[in-house]
Amino acid sequence: MQYDTLIQPDNGQAATLIHVTDKSRFEAWLALQPDAVRTAVKAQKFEGGAKDIAILPADKPGEWSVAAGVTDVSASGLWHLAKLADSLPEGTYRLADYDASEAMLGWMLGQYRYHEYLSEPKLTGPRVLLVKEPARIAMAALQAAATALVRDLVNRPAGDLGPNALEAEAKRIAKAHKAEVTVTAGEPLEAGYPLIHAVGKAAAREHAPRLIELEWGDPRHPRVAIVGKGITFDTGGLDIKPSTGMRLMKKDMGGAAHALALAELIMAAHLPVRLHMLVAAAENSISGNAMRPGDIIKSRKGITVEIDNTDAEGRLVLADALTKAIEDKAELIIDFATLTGAARVALGPDLPAMFSNDDSVAIGLLAASKAATDPLWHMPLWAPYMEMLDSDIADTSNSGGGFAGAVTAALFLQKFVPDNVPWVHLDTFAWRPSSKPGRPKGGEALGLRAVFRYLAETYPAR
């Protein structure tokens, strides 16, 4: 979908009018309407409640307008217009006395559909919104496209989206923005990135593991590394998941989807950074050569890791990728990963858990997440829990046991990042279990817009 076509500058074109109100202003608005409109409003039980919609008659035959309820007319909420964009028929619309502002993105995403595997998809024409703030359209469209990319990749079944497909996506993005892609696989991966190799070595040949790197930008600019966990399917390995836990594991590459989408956003917005995107891609499968509980693997950094649980594999692939980012002199590292169920138990599906070794970066990200209506929740790197990762026979275990699972997973990653390099770890769900306006059930970008806003404010385009 071409999201930049869904919102256009208002140059006086013919359009259906949308009246926006809320509960507190509803009676005053209604009092100004003609009898026919008041009758229609009463018949449809419209009272200005958030997400309520009513179709209103007009003076001329065949013409009509819309009444839409929002939470607060005085504040343009991101999702205020999303249900309208989903529900209204194909056509062109104009807002009456309402600033679209932040709601532009919600209007675009309200029209997102995933129908790649439907033999007879229910296709609808575009709902185009005319606005008085044309300068906002391009950025809203970029963010809508990035969000849609995350959703598309996460929704795609694992049989059609293995590590090779993530590589192809990285190359597509690189070609569009004149970036460079490097892929390490096979024997070089085994020798140079032993944790990534160990996690993915049991997969079929066509789903062989690899490290995918994309580089873009002026080498003189600050080097920013974006790292994504790309476990394209997670059986749990020999510590196999139950069927209920495995059903959604096509989404375990959600971190990689975020990294790819964020990389494209950074390049499209021409942020003055030297971008280094790293996707550690593997399928955690089961076969005779799968890694075993009790195995000890020496990481790229040289830290030996005892495999306490083969289902704690995402942190393993991230560890080798983080090491490479450090070797290449990253000045800021942000990783995305669908890492722990513990984060979901603590915070639910909508709140990514954010860990950072730099308080100033964490504070900046929290402010950006609030401004972007893309919430994050700051979690502690609680050092006393590091002992939960102790191993009797290796430098560390890969699992900290039953307590504080999201914290111990982050602490494991911290072992691979020096204290003097600002680092952020986002444990995101990348999935929406139920639908909301503009946010259908399925793959979802959670934390993407918050991080992009932070980067755009930290490294403003010139």
Side-chain angles (χ1 to χ4, degrees):
M1 180 179 291
Q2 293 294 111
Y3 288 95
D4 57 357
T5 65
L6 300 180
I7 296 185
Q8 297 177 10
D10 190 344
N11 296 317
Q13 307 96 307
T16 299
L17 200 61
I18 300 174
H19 304 272
V20 181
T21 187
D22 57 33
K23 277 188 171 293
S24 66
R25 295 166 175 82
F26 170 69
E27 292 297 340
W29 171 81
L30 188 63
L32 298 174
Q33 306 307 312
D35 289 343
V37 168
R38 288 200 294 269
T39 300
V41 165
K42 184 177 180 180
Q44 295 172 74
K45 298 180 180 180
F46 178 81
E47 297 179 345
K51 305 171 190 173
D52 289 346
I53 301 171
I55 302 301
L56 310 178
D59 294 335
K60 296 180 180 179
E63 292 187 357
W64 51 281
S65 63
V66 182
V70 299
T71 305
D72 183 359
V73 167
S74 63
S76 176
L78 174 61
W79 305 111
H80 277 185
L81 304 180
K83 185 175 180 179
L84 278 173
D86 180 26
S87 304
L88 291 175
E90 175 183 353
T92 301
Y93 297 88
R94 173 183 290 111
L95 297 168
D97 301 320
Y98 184 75
D99 178 7
S101 190
E102 299 298 328
M104 290 185 193
L105 179 60
W107 179 274
M108 294 175 178
L109 291 176
Q111 301 182 55
Y112 171 84
R113 300 288 186 276
Y114 184 74
H115 43 63
E116 184 175 349
Y117 293 89
L118 293 176
S119 55
E120 297 182 6
K122 296 179 180 179
L123 300 177
T124 57
R127 279 74 75 198
V128 177
L129 182 66
L130 304 179
V131 300
K132 298 290 188 182
E133 312 89 14
R136 291 177 173 267
I137 297 174
M139 182 53 67
L142 287 177
Q143 295 193 53
T147 301
L149 176 59
V150 174
R151 293 175 178 180
D152 285 349
L153 291 174
V154 174
N155 284 330
R156 195 166 297 155
D160 292 339
L161 197 135
N164 56 334
L166 291 178
E167 177 184 332
E169 192 63 31
K171 289 178 175 178
R172 178 196 67 78
I173 292 170
K175 183 177 180 181
H177 298 279
K178 298 181 180 179
E180 297 179 358
V181 171
T182 303
V183 179
T184 305
E187 291 182 2
L189 184 79
E190 182 177 4
Y193 302 91
L195 291 177
I196 299 175
H197 169 76
V199 170
K201 65 182 180 180
R205 180 177 298 179
E206 61 269 24
H207 289 170
R210 65 206 69 194
L211 178 68
I212 305 160
E213 297 178 79
L214 179 151
E215 293 203 59
W216 170 90
D218 190 331
R220 295 171 296 180
H221 289 159
R223 191 170 182 87
V224 174
I226 307 298
V227 181
K229 171 191 169 184
I231 301 297
T232 55
F233 192 77
D234 183 16
T235 65
L238 292 177
D239 288 313
I240 191 168
K241 293 177 182 290
S243 59
T244 54
M246 207 185 299
R247 176 63 181 85
L248 285 181
M249 283 302 99
K250 68 176 185 177
K251 78 172 188 65
D252 213 19
M253 39 58 65
H258 281 73
L260 287 160
L262 180 57
E264 187 159 34
L265 257 179
I266 289 169
M267 292 185 289
H270 304 289
L271 297 191
V273 299
R274 177 61 170 171
L275 174 65
H276 185 196
M277 185 206 72
L278 306 96
V279 167
E283 181 179 300
N284 188 23
S285 192
I286 300 172
S287 70
N289 67 334
M291 67 176 178
R292 296 166 287 266
D295 282 354
I296 295 178
I297 304 165
K298 190 174 184 179
S299 68
R300 180 178 179 86
K301 188 174 181 179
I303 295 173
T304 56
V305 181
E306 182 180 14
I307 306 303
D308 179 66
N309 188 330
T310 63
D311 196 22
E313 85 299 329
R315 65 201 70 182
L316 297 176
V317 301
L318 286 174
D320 274 353
L322 289 170
T323 300
K324 181 60 161 63
I326 293 295
E327 291 171 359
D328 289 349
K329 310 299 183 185
E331 298 176 37
L332 171 66
I333 302 175
I334 300 174
D335 78 67
F336 291 86
T338 52
L339 206 63
T340 67
R344 306 288 71 78
V345 171
L347 301 176
D350 294 349
L351 274 177
M354 180 188 72
F355 299 84
S356 180
N357 63 357
D358 188 303
D359 286 344
S360 64
V361 174
I363 291 169
L365 271 166
L366 288 176
S369 75
K370 184 176 181 179
T373 318
D374 189 20
L376 305 173
W377 195 264
H378 194 185
M379 296 280 280
L381 287 167
W382 186 246
Y385 289 169
M386 192 72 85
E387 66 183 17
M388 295 182 182
L389 294 167
D390 287 349
S391 166
D392 295 331
I393 56 175
D395 297 330
T396 185
S397 170
N398 76 321
S399 176
F403 292 113
V407 177
T408 55
L411 290 171
F412 177 86
L413 296 178
Q414 191 179 23
K415 292 173 180 282
F416 298 85
V417 181
D419 293 338
N420 64 340
V421 178
W423 161 67
V424 177
H425 162 58
L426 294 178
D427 190 337
T428 186
F429 193 39
W431 189 263
R432 189 164 295 282
S434 59
S435 295
K436 296 180 180 180
R439 294 151 288 176
K441 179 180 178 180
E444 184 61 293
L446 298 167
L448 172 71
R449 290 180 291 103
V451 174
F452 175 70
R453 189 177 186 110
Y454 172 78
L455 293 175
E457 291 172 348
T458 305
Y459 310 103
R462 296 165 185 161

